[in-house]
Amino acid sequence: MPEIKSAEQKPPYYPSYFPDLARIVRIKQEVMDAVIELEMAGGRPLGHMPGQFVQVSMFGYGEIPISVCSPPGRAERFKLCVRPVGRVSKALHEAAEGDWVGIRGPFGRGFPVEIMEGRDILLAAGGIGLAPLRSLVQYLRDHREAYGRIILVYGARNPSLILFKEDVDTWCRDPSMEMYVTVDEADESWTGRTGVLTGPIKEEIEISPVQTMAAVVGPPVMYRFVAAELLAKGMSKRKIYFSLERHFKCGIGKCGHCQLNGIYVCQDGPVFRYSDLVGLSEAVEAWAPE
């Protein structure tokens, strides 16, 4: 197995396949998704960091991986954003407040928030990629004095599919953040940017490539084009971080479902330095066009 040099943060190790119980405290319905707030049995904190995920089990239906979308440290509860696309996620989307689920984790390596300290942070999220990136955005805002510029570029398919609308509106009003929201397809209510999110990165945002680090989460097709724009601005591949999506099953590097060449994304990722992905034939979605 090749060495993953982006391993600044040692991931927690949970050898057990057995989940702990968590109670659904609150459910907020978004346009397509449900934001579910949970509390671990006994009230213990989840102990996650931005970018990590948990395995969620709905009894009688199965288990799925979901990224944590709330930051650590605010409360002992945590939030998950659920889009109903499969049997388990549909059951979870239709669950009621007070229901119990199983939680394993948190798993994997998150974003290197300690290494990011003192740096300008450019965050790029496409579609539902804002869910895992929301944890990092909230963490940076909670520790605002420790970071430089916070630049968020978010692209949605259309205005009605903007995720975490209240948060996005709050961030747009926050003078300490630089927000660039764009949609692929505008409607009559939309007065903002139209087009893919690489547009603002290329045409509007000026950065110091030495001072800046980037965190990118979105559909696989997005990565290579975002990488190309960031490299064109002079950024080092070592300062660009991608969160990869794979078919996580066990979460502890045993089953091999998420294997990418010689590494396990559930343990060595899901957050990787771009420099560690270039050359891995099965991570081709991250390679910038030649």
Side-chain angles (χ1 to χ4, degrees), residues 180-241:
Y180 299 83
V181 182
T182 184
V183 298
D184 295 340
E185 303 167 356
D187 59 21
E188 63 279 359
S189 68
W190 183 251
T191 59
R193 297 174 184 81
T194 303
V196 294
L197 61 75
T198 50
I201 296 175
K202 179 179 181 179
E203 300 168 1
E204 299 184 60
I205 299 173
E206 294 185 2
I207 62 169
S208 164
V210 175
Q211 174 67 12
T212 305
M213 297 180 72
V216 184
V217 188
V221 68
M222 184 185 91
Y223 287 101
R224 57 202 313 258
F225 297 104
V226 172
E229 296 300 336
L230 296 177
L231 295 175
K233 289 183 176 294
M235 286 194 66
S236 163
K237 294 175 183 175
R238 292 178 56 81
K239 292 182 179 178
I240 302 170
Y241 287 82

Coordinates of all heavy atoms in Angstrom, one line a residue, residues 180-241:
Y180 N -19.5 33.7 -3.3 CA -19.7 33.6 -4.7 C -20.7 32.5 -5.0 O -20.3 31.3 -5.0 CB -18.4 33.4 -5.5 CG -17.4 34.5 -5.3 CD1 -16.5 34.5 -4.2 CD2 -17.3 35.6 -6.2 CE1 -15.6 35.5 -4.0 CE2 -16.4 36.6 -6.0 CZ -15.5 36.6 -4.9 OH -14.6 37.6 -4.7
V181 N -21.9 32.8 -5.2 CA -23.0 31.8 -5.4 C -23.4 31.9 -6.9 O -23.7 33.0 -7.4 CB -24.2 32.0 -4.5 CG1 -25.2 30.9 -4.7 CG2 -23.7 32.0 -3.0
T182 N -23.5 30.7 -7.5 CA -23.9 30.7 -8.9 C -24.8 29.5 -9.2 O -24.7 28.5 -8.4 CB -22.6 30.6 -9.9 OG1 -23.0 30.7 -11.2 CG2 -21.8 29.3 -9.6
V183 N -25.7 29.6 -10.2 CA -26.6 28.5 -10.5 C -26.4 28.2 -12.0 O -26.1 29.1 -12.8 CB -28.0 28.9 -10.2 CG1 -28.2 29.1 -8.7 CG2 -28.5 30.1 -11.0
D184 N -26.7 27.0 -12.4 CA -26.6 26.6 -13.8 C -27.7 27.1 -14.6 O -27.6 27.6 -15.7 CB -26.6 25.0 -13.9 CG -25.3 24.4 -13.3 OD1 -24.3 25.1 -13.1 OD2 -25.4 23.2 -12.9
E185 N -28.9 27.1 -13.9 CA -30.1 27.5 -14.6 C -30.9 28.5 -13.8 O -31.3 28.2 -12.7 CB -31.1 26.3 -14.9 CG -30.4 25.2 -15.7 CD -31.2 24.0 -15.8 OE1 -32.2 23.9 -15.1 OE2 -30.8 23.0 -16.4
A186 N -31.0 29.8 -14.2 CA -31.7 30.8 -13.4 C -33.2 30.7 -13.7 O -33.7 30.1 -14.6 CB -31.2 32.2 -13.8
D187 N -33.9 31.3 -12.7 CA -35.4 31.4 -12.9 C -35.7 32.9 -12.8 O -34.8 33.8 -12.7 CB -36.2 30.6 -11.9 CG -35.9 30.9 -10.5 OD1 -35.4 32.0 -10.2 OD2 -36.2 30.1 -9.6
E188 N -37.0 33.3 -12.8 CA -37.4 34.7 -12.8 C -37.0 35.4 -11.5 O -36.9 36.6 -11.5 CB -38.9 34.8 -13.1 CG -39.8 34.2 -12.0 CD -39.9 32.7 -12.2 OE1 -39.4 32.1 -13.2 OE2 -40.6 32.1 -11.4
S189 N -36.7 34.6 -10.5 CA -36.4 35.2 -9.2 C -34.9 35.5 -9.0 O -34.5 36.2 -8.1 CB -36.9 34.3 -8.0 OG -36.2 33.1 -8.0
W190 N -34.1 34.9 -9.8 CA -32.7 34.9 -9.6 C -32.0 36.1 -10.2 O -32.2 36.4 -11.4 CB -32.1 33.6 -10.2 CG -30.6 33.5 -9.9 CD1 -29.6 33.6 -10.9 CD2 -30.0 33.2 -8.7 NE1 -28.4 33.4 -10.3 CE2 -28.6 33.2 -8.9 CE3 -30.4 33.0 -7.4 CZ2 -27.6 32.9 -7.9 CZ3 -29.5 32.7 -6.4 CH2 -28.1 32.7 -6.7
T191 N -31.2 36.9 -9.5 CA -30.5 38.0 -10.0 C -29.0 37.9 -9.8 O -28.3 38.8 -10.1 CB -31.0 39.3 -9.2 OG1 -30.7 39.1 -7.8 CG2 -32.5 39.6 -9.4
G192 N -28.6 36.7 -9.4 CA -27.2 36.5 -9.1 C -26.4 35.9 -10.3 O -26.9 36.0 -11.5
R193 N -25.3 35.3 -10.1 CA -24.5 34.7 -11.1 C -25.1 33.5 -11.8 O -25.9 32.7 -11.1 CB -23.1 34.3 -10.6 CG -22.3 35.4 -10.0 CD -21.0 34.9 -9.4 NE -20.3 36.0 -8.8 CZ -20.5 36.5 -7.6 NH1 -21.6 36.0 -6.9 NH2 -19.8 37.5 -7.1
T194 N -24.8 33.3 -13.0 CA -25.3 32.1 -13.7 C -24.1 31.4 -14.4 O -23.3 32.1 -15.0 CB -26.3 32.4 -14.8 OG1 -27.4 33.1 -14.2 CG2 -26.9 31.2 -15.5
G195 N -24.0 30.1 -14.3 CA -22.9 29.4 -14.9 C -22.2 28.5 -13.9 O -22.6 28.4 -12.7
V196 N -21.2 27.8 -14.3 CA -20.5 26.8 -13.5 C -19.6 27.6 -12.5 O -19.2 28.7 -12.7 CB -19.7 25.8 -14.3 CG1 -20.6 25.0 -15.1 CG2 -18.7 26.6 -15.2
L197 N -19.3 26.9 -11.4 CA -18.6 27.6 -10.3 C -17.1 27.9 -10.6 O -16.5 28.7 -9.9 CB -18.7 26.8 -9.0 CG -18.1 25.3 -8.9 CD1 -16.6 25.3 -8.8 CD2 -18.7 24.7 -7.6
T198 N -16.6 27.3 -11.7 CA -15.2 27.6 -12.1 C -15.2 29.1 -12.6 O -14.1 29.6 -12.7 CB -14.7 26.6 -13.1 OG1 -15.6 26.5 -14.1 CG2 -14.3 25.3 -12.4
G199 N -16.3 29.6 -13.0 CA -16.4 30.9 -13.6 C -15.9 32.0 -12.6 O -14.9 32.7 -12.9
P200 N -16.5 32.1 -11.4 CA -16.0 33.0 -10.4 C -14.5 32.8 -10.0 O -13.8 33.7 -9.8 CB -16.9 32.8 -9.2 CG -18.1 32.2 -9.8 CD -17.7 31.4 -10.9
I201 N -14.1 31.5 -9.9 CA -12.7 31.2 -9.6 C -11.8 31.8 -10.6 O -10.7 32.4 -10.3 CB -12.5 29.7 -9.4 CG1 -13.4 29.1 -8.3 CG2 -11.0 29.4 -9.2 CD1 -13.3 27.6 -8.1
K202 N -12.1 31.6 -11.9 CA -11.3 32.1 -13.0 C -11.3 33.6 -13.1 O -10.3 34.2 -13.3 CB -11.7 31.4 -14.3 CG -10.9 31.8 -15.5 CD -11.3 31.0 -16.7 CE -10.5 31.4 -17.9 NZ -10.9 30.7 -19.1
E203 N -12.5 34.2 -13.1 CA -12.7 35.5 -13.5 C -12.8 36.6 -12.4 O -12.5 37.8 -12.6 CB -14.0 35.6 -14.4 CG -13.9 34.7 -15.6 CD -15.3 34.6 -16.3 OE1 -16.2 35.2 -15.8 OE2 -15.3 33.8 -17.3
E204 N -13.2 36.2 -11.2 CA -13.5 37.2 -10.2 C -12.5 37.1 -8.9 O -12.4 38.1 -8.3 CB -14.9 37.0 -9.7 CG -16.0 37.2 -10.7 CD -17.4 37.1 -10.1 OE1 -17.7 38.0 -9.2 OE2 -18.1 36.2 -10.5
I205 N -12.0 36.0 -8.6 CA -11.3 35.8 -7.4 C -9.8 35.9 -7.6 O -9.2 35.2 -8.4 CB -11.7 34.4 -6.7 CG1 -13.2 34.4 -6.5 CG2 -10.9 34.2 -5.4 CD1 -13.6 33.0 -6.0
E206 N -9.2 36.8 -6.8 CA -7.8 37.0 -6.8 C -7.2 36.4 -5.5 O -7.8 36.7 -4.4 CB -7.4 38.4 -7.0 CG -7.7 39.0 -8.4 CD -7.2 40.4 -8.6 OE1 -6.5 40.9 -7.6 OE2 -7.5 41.0 -9.6
I207 N -6.2 35.6 -5.6 CA -5.7 35.0 -4.4 C -4.1 35.1 -4.4 O -3.5 35.4 -5.4 CB -6.0 33.5 -4.3 CG1 -5.4 32.7 -5.5 CG2 -7.5 33.3 -4.2 CD1 -5.5 31.2 -5.4
S208 N -3.6 34.9 -3.2 CA -2.1 34.8 -3.1 C -1.9 33.3 -3.1 O -2.3 32.6 -2.1 CB -1.6 35.4 -1.8 OG -0.3 34.9 -1.5
P209 N -1.3 32.7 -4.1 CA -1.1 31.2 -4.2 C -0.3 30.7 -3.0 O -0.4 29.5 -2.7 CB -0.5 31.0 -5.5 CG 0.1 32.3 -5.9 CD -0.8 33.4 -5.3
V210 N 0.6 31.5 -2.5 CA 1.5 31.1 -1.4 C 0.7 31.0 -0.1 O 0.9 30.1 0.7 CB 2.7 32.0 -1.2 CG1 3.5 31.6 0.0 CG2 3.5 32.0 -2.5
Q211 N -0.3 32.0 0.1 CA -1.0 32.1 1.3 C -2.2 31.3 1.4 O -2.8 31.0 2.4 CB -1.4 33.6 1.5 CG -2.3 33.9 2.6 CD -1.6 33.7 4.0 OE1 -0.4 33.5 4.0 NE2 -2.4 33.7 5.1
T212 N -2.7 30.7 0.2 CA -4.0 30.1 0.1 C -4.0 28.6 0.1 O -3.1 28.0 -0.5 CB -4.7 30.6 -1.2 OG1 -4.7 32.1 -1.2 CG2 -6.2 30.1 -1.2
M213 N -5.0 28.0 0.8 CA -5.3 26.6 0.7 C -6.7 26.4 0.3 O -7.5 27.3 0.5 CB -5.0 25.9 2.1 CG -3.6 26.0 2.6 SD -3.4 25.1 4.2 CE -3.5 23.4 3.7
A214 N -7.0 25.3 -0.4 CA -8.3 25.1 -1.0 C -8.9 23.8 -0.5 O -8.2 22.8 -0.4 CB -8.2 25.1 -2.5
A215 N -10.2 23.8 -0.3 CA -11.0 22.6 0.1 C -12.1 22.5 -0.9 O -12.9 23.4 -1.1 CB -11.5 22.7 1.5
V216 N -12.2 21.4 -1.6 CA -13.2 21.2 -2.7 C -14.0 20.0 -2.4 O -13.5 18.9 -2.2 CB -12.4 21.1 -4.0 CG1 -13.4 21.0 -5.2 CG2 -11.4 22.2 -4.2
V217 N -15.3 20.1 -2.5 CA -16.3 19.0 -2.4 C -17.4 19.1 -3.4 O -18.0 20.2 -3.5 CB -16.9 18.9 -1.0 CG1 -17.7 17.5 -0.9 CG2 -15.8 19.0 0.1
G218 N -17.6 18.1 -4.2 CA -18.7 18.2 -5.2 C -18.8 16.9 -6.0 O -18.1 15.9 -5.7
P219 N -19.5 17.0 -7.1 CA -19.6 15.8 -8.0 C -18.2 15.5 -8.7 O -17.5 16.5 -8.9 CB -20.6 16.2 -9.1 CG -20.7 17.7 -9.0 CD -20.4 18.1 -7.6
P220 N -17.9 14.3 -9.0 CA -16.6 13.9 -9.5 C -16.2 14.8 -10.7 O -15.0 15.1 -10.9 CB -16.7 12.5 -9.9 CG -17.8 11.9 -8.9 CD -18.8 13.1 -8.7
V221 N -17.1 15.1 -11.6 CA -16.8 15.8 -12.8 C -16.2 17.2 -12.5 O -15.5 17.8 -13.4 CB -18.0 15.9 -13.8 CG1 -19.1 16.8 -13.2 CG2 -17.6 16.3 -15.2
M222 N -16.5 17.7 -11.4 CA -16.1 19.1 -11.0 C -14.7 19.2 -10.7 O -14.0 20.2 -10.9 CB -17.0 19.5 -9.8 CG -16.8 20.9 -9.4 SD -17.7 21.3 -7.8 CE -16.5 20.9 -6.6
Y223 N -14.1 18.1 -10.1 CA -12.8 18.2 -9.5 C -11.7 18.6 -10.5 O -10.9 19.5 -10.2 CB -12.4 16.9 -8.8 CG -13.1 16.6 -7.6 CD1 -14.2 15.8 -7.5 CD2 -12.8 17.2 -6.4 CE1 -14.9 15.5 -6.4 CE2 -13.4 17.0 -5.2 CZ -14.5 16.1 -5.2 OH -15.2 15.9 -4.0
R224 N -11.7 18.0 -11.6 CA -10.5 18.2 -12.5 C -10.6 19.7 -13.1 O -9.5 20.3 -13.3 CB -10.6 17.2 -13.7 CG -11.8 17.2 -14.5 CD -12.0 15.8 -15.2 NE -10.8 15.4 -15.9 CZ -10.6 15.5 -17.2 NH1 -11.5 16.1 -17.9 NH2 -9.5 15.1 -17.7
F225 N -11.7 20.3 -13.2 CA -11.8 21.6 -13.8 C -11.5 22.6 -12.7 O -10.9 23.7 -13.0 CB -13.2 21.9 -14.4 CG -13.5 21.0 -15.5 CD1 -14.3 19.9 -15.5 CD2 -12.8 21.2 -16.8 CE1 -14.5 19.0 -16.5 CE2 -13.0 20.4 -17.8 CZ -13.9 19.3 -17.7
V226 N -11.9 22.4 -11.4 CA -11.5 23.3 -10.3 C -10.0 23.2 -10.1 O -9.4 24.2 -9.9 CB -12.3 22.9 -9.0 CG1 -11.7 23.7 -7.8 CG2 -13.8 23.1 -9.2
A227 N -9.5 22.0 -10.2 CA -8.0 21.8 -10.1 C -7.3 22.7 -11.1 O -6.3 23.3 -10.8 CB -7.6 20.4 -10.2
A228 N -7.8 22.6 -12.4 CA -7.1 23.3 -13.4 C -7.1 24.8 -13.2 O -6.1 25.5 -13.4 CB -7.8 23.0 -14.8
E229 N -8.2 25.4 -12.7 CA -8.3 26.8 -12.4 C -7.4 27.2 -11.2 O -6.7 28.2 -11.2 CB -9.7 27.2 -12.1 CG -10.7 27.1 -13.3 CD -10.3 27.9 -14.5 OE1 -9.6 28.9 -14.3 OE2 -10.7 27.5 -15.6
L230 N -7.3 26.4 -10.2 CA -6.5 26.7 -9.0 C -5.0 26.6 -9.4 O -4.2 27.4 -9.0 CB -6.8 25.7 -7.9 CG -8.2 25.9 -7.3 CD1 -8.5 24.8 -6.2 CD2 -8.5 27.3 -6.8
L231 N -4.7 25.6 -10.2 CA -3.3 25.5 -10.7 C -2.9 26.7 -11.6 O -1.8 27.2 -11.5 CB -3.1 24.2 -11.4 CG -3.2 22.9 -10.6 CD1 -3.1 21.6 -11.5 CD2 -2.2 22.8 -9.5
A232 N -3.9 27.1 -12.4 CA -3.6 28.3 -13.2 C -3.3 29.5 -12.4 O -2.7 30.5 -12.9 CB -4.8 28.5 -14.2
K233 N -3.9 29.6 -11.2 CA -3.6 30.7 -10.3 C -2.3 30.6 -9.6 O -2.0 31.4 -8.7 CB -4.8 30.9 -9.4 CG -6.0 31.4 -10.1 CD -7.2 31.7 -9.1 CE -8.4 32.3 -9.8 NZ -8.1 33.6 -10.3
G234 N -1.6 29.5 -9.8 CA -0.3 29.3 -9.2 C -0.3 28.5 -7.9 O 0.8 28.4 -7.2
M235 N -1.4 27.9 -7.6 CA -1.5 27.1 -6.3 C -0.7 25.8 -6.5 O -0.7 25.2 -7.5 CB -2.9 26.8 -5.9 CG -3.7 28.0 -5.4 SD -5.2 27.5 -4.5 CE -4.5 26.6 -3.1
S236 N -0.1 25.4 -5.4 CA 0.6 24.1 -5.3 C -0.4 23.0 -5.2 O -1.4 23.2 -4.5 CB 1.6 24.1 -4.1 OG 2.0 22.8 -3.8
K237 N -0.1 21.9 -5.8 CA -1.0 20.7 -5.7 C -1.1 20.3 -4.2 O -2.0 19.6 -3.8 CB -0.4 19.6 -6.5 CG -0.5 19.8 -8.0 CD 0.2 18.7 -8.8 CE 0.2 19.0 -10.3 NZ 0.9 18.0 -11.1
R238 N -0.1 20.6 -3.4 CA -0.1 20.2 -2.0 C -1.0 21.0 -1.2 O -1.3 20.7 0.0 CB 1.4 20.3 -1.4 CG 2.3 19.3 -2.0 CD 3.7 19.5 -1.5 NE 3.8 19.4 0.0 CZ 3.8 18.3 0.7 NH1 3.8 17.1 0.1 NH2 3.8 18.3 2.0
K239 N -1.5 22.1 -1.7 CA -2.4 23.0 -0.9 C -3.8 22.9 -1.4 O -4.7 23.7 -0.9 CB -1.9 24.5 -1.1 CG -0.6 24.7 -0.4 CD -0.2 26.2 -0.5 CE 1.2 26.4 0.2 NZ 1.6 27.8 0.1
I240 N -4.1 21.9 -2.2 CA -5.5 21.7 -2.7 C -6.0 20.4 -2.1 O -5.3 19.4 -2.3 CB -5.5 21.7 -4.3 CG1 -5.0 23.0 -4.8 CG2 -7.0 21.4 -4.7 CD1 -4.8 22.9 -6.4
Y241 N -7.1 20.4 -1.5 CA -7.6 19.2 -0.8 C -9.0 18.9 -1.5 O -9.9 19.7 -1.6 CB -7.8 19.4 0.7 CG -6.5 19.5 1.4 CD1 -5.7 20.6 1.5 CD2 -6.0 18.3 2.1 CE1 -4.5 20.6 2.1 CE2 -4.8 18.3 2.7 CZ -4.1 19.5 2.8 OH -2.8 19.5 3.4

